[in-house]
Amino acid sequence: MKKTILFLLIMIFTLSTFFGATLTVGAKSFTEQYILGNLASLLLEENGFNVVKRFGLNSFVVRQGLTTGQIDLYPDYTGTAWVTYLGQEELITDPDELLEKVRELDAENGVVWLDRINANNTYALAIRQEDYEKYGFETLSELVAYWDEHPKEFMVGVDYEFYERPDGFFAFADHYDLDIPDSQVSTMQVGLTYEAIANNKIDIAMVFATDPKILRYNLHVLEDDQNFWPYYHISYAVRKDVLDKYPEIEEILRPLTLYLNQDILIRLNYRVDVEGVEPEVVARDYLEGLGLID
């Protein structure tokens, strides 16, 4: 009996070694994250790993999954980590310094942040092009100055997470000294703010800087002239124990740091959101085009 059990254990170890280790890759619940999650998954699979995908999660769930061992790695944003996960208030205006400070603090949580991708998916507020031509707002300060004098003129649309998070809409309002009641803030599913502003249901929309729908719906993004939102550069967050066990993960994912940038990411997002191509197909086409996967 003992020999049989020993034989089975050896077989399991041999098979797991032969077929490759399994990694769980996470992603949040919007287009860019699905693409980034698939990019990492495809590269890892190409290099012998089995991948379990856990996509479509909100920030808090995917982060908790990482820190509790249910997720091995996923793409996230330095600004999100700095403000939301690590609870920091200091404004850092250098993206590399921000990444290093996030790395330093998050190391205490057993999390390693790989090199950042040159794409800053920060939050922003946008208005319709015709309203930009009407009012001439270039900055959030100009919008707020007018808003204070016409407090009932605008309705804002934000997604649920942005409504609740500590670097979200009401924190922005406090920073810019804007007094706005809840009744003028409409919450909706992520991504629907674009359709809402296009259909005149709202006047100001929460958007993401790398979202191609800004172009599709002809929106004008207002400059965050008081630098409220930190940089939200993309980096893959990996559990330290996983990276210690499989240090090759860093080199496998390095091409994403080398080749991805903001313009490319907008085009990849455009293929999904505007052309209707599945995120996995978009990710695969991009990696095949670079010769990184067969």
Side-chain angles (χ1 to χ4, degrees):
M1 183 66 177
K2 290 182 179 179
K3 290 183 178 180
T4 303
I5 294 173
L6 180 61
F7 174 76
L8 289 173
L9 290 172
I10 292 172
M11 285 296 295
I12 291 171
F13 176 79
T14 302
L15 288 171
S16 64
T17 302
F18 178 78
F19 288 111
T22 297
L23 295 175
T24 300
V25 177
K28 302 183 188 183
S29 59
F30 54 93
T31 296
E32 181 170 287
Q33 282 278 308
Y34 285 114
I35 293 171
L36 292 165
N38 276 294
L39 287 169
S41 298
L42 289 166
L43 285 173
L44 291 167
E45 288 172 344
E46 181 73 12
N47 286 274
F49 287 96
N50 299 309
V51 172
V52 175
K53 298 177 182 178
R54 292 193 62 198
F55 296 175
L57 308 174
N58 69 35
S59 293
F60 301 101
V61 172
V62 71
R63 167 70 177 190
Q64 185 178 38
L66 185 75
T67 56
T68 58
Q70 299 172 66
I71 289 173
D72 297 314
L73 63 101
Y74 77 101
D76 211 331
Y77 304 89
T78 52
T80 301
W82 184 246
V83 175
T84 305
Y85 307 149
L86 302 172
Q88 302 301 302
E89 297 181 357
E90 178 189 0
L91 176 65
I92 300 175
T93 58
D94 180 277
D96 292 320
E97 180 185 355
L98 177 59
L99 174 60
E100 289 307 314
K101 290 199 172 185
V102 166
R103 281 173 165 167
E104 180 181 347
L105 288 182
D106 224 6
E108 299 175 8
N109 300 313
V111 177
V112 177
W113 289 74
L114 304 184
D115 288 343
R116 68 178 177 87
I117 294 168
N118 190 25
N120 180 25
N121 191 9
T122 188
Y123 288 105
L125 295 179
I127 58 177
R128 287 179 290 270
Q129 182 64 25
E130 55 264 36
D131 285 342
Y132 166 63
E133 294 169 0
K134 175 181 177 181
Y135 298 109
F137 302 141
E138 292 286 358
T139 68
L140 290 174
S141 291
E142 291 172 351
L143 168 70
V144 168
Y146 180 89
W147 206 339
D148 283 337
E149 296 178 359
H150 306 81
K152 297 183 179 180
E153 190 158 334
F154 299 127
M155 175 66 73
V156 186
V158 303
D159 70 41
Y160 296 110
E161 184 174 317
F162 188 67
Y163 183 86
E164 296 175 348
R165 56 187 291 152
D167 57 345
F169 181 77
F170 287 104
F172 145 77
D174 288 342
H175 182 84
Y176 275 86
D177 198 24
L178 172 66
D179 184 18
I180 178 171
D182 291 356
S183 60
Q184 285 179 251
V185 183
S186 179
T187 54
M188 57 197 69
Q189 293 290 341
V190 64
L192 295 184
T193 55
Y194 300 93
E195 286 78 6
I197 195 171
N199 294 324
N200 296 309
K201 294 181 178 179
I202 60 174
D203 306 294
I204 301 166
M206 184 220 82
V207 300
F208 298 103
T210 58
D211 199 321
K213 289 183 180 180
I214 293 170
L215 301 177
R216 180 182 181 185
Y217 290 107
N218 195 24
L219 302 180
H220 179 78
V221 178
L222 298 170
E223 178 190 349
D224 178 17
D225 55 306
Q226 294 186 26
N227 297 309
F228 169 68
W229 286 297
Y231 287 102
Y232 288 85
H233 281 95
I234 301 161
S235 172
Y236 286 89
V238 189
R239 290 205 338 265
K240 185 179 184 302
D241 60 324
V242 172
L243 196 59
D244 287 344
K245 189 174 183 180
Y246 308 110
E248 64 269 28
I249 289 174
E250 187 166 10
E251 285 305 311
I252 291 170
L253 299 184
R254 191 176 300 279
L256 300 179
T257 302
L258 297 175
Y259 300 124
L260 269 182
N261 59 41
Q262 187 127 340
D263 290 338
I264 291 173
L265 197 53
I266 290 173
R267 290 200 294 270
L268 296 181
N269 289 334
Y270 187 93
R271 290 197 65 199
V272 176
D273 286 340
V274 180
E275 297 177 354
V277 183
E278 288 296 320
E280 184 175 0
V281 175
V282 170
R284 185 177 296 278
D285 288 347
Y286 177 67
L287 295 176
E288 287 178 349
L290 290 174
L292 295 172
I293 64 172
D294 294 327

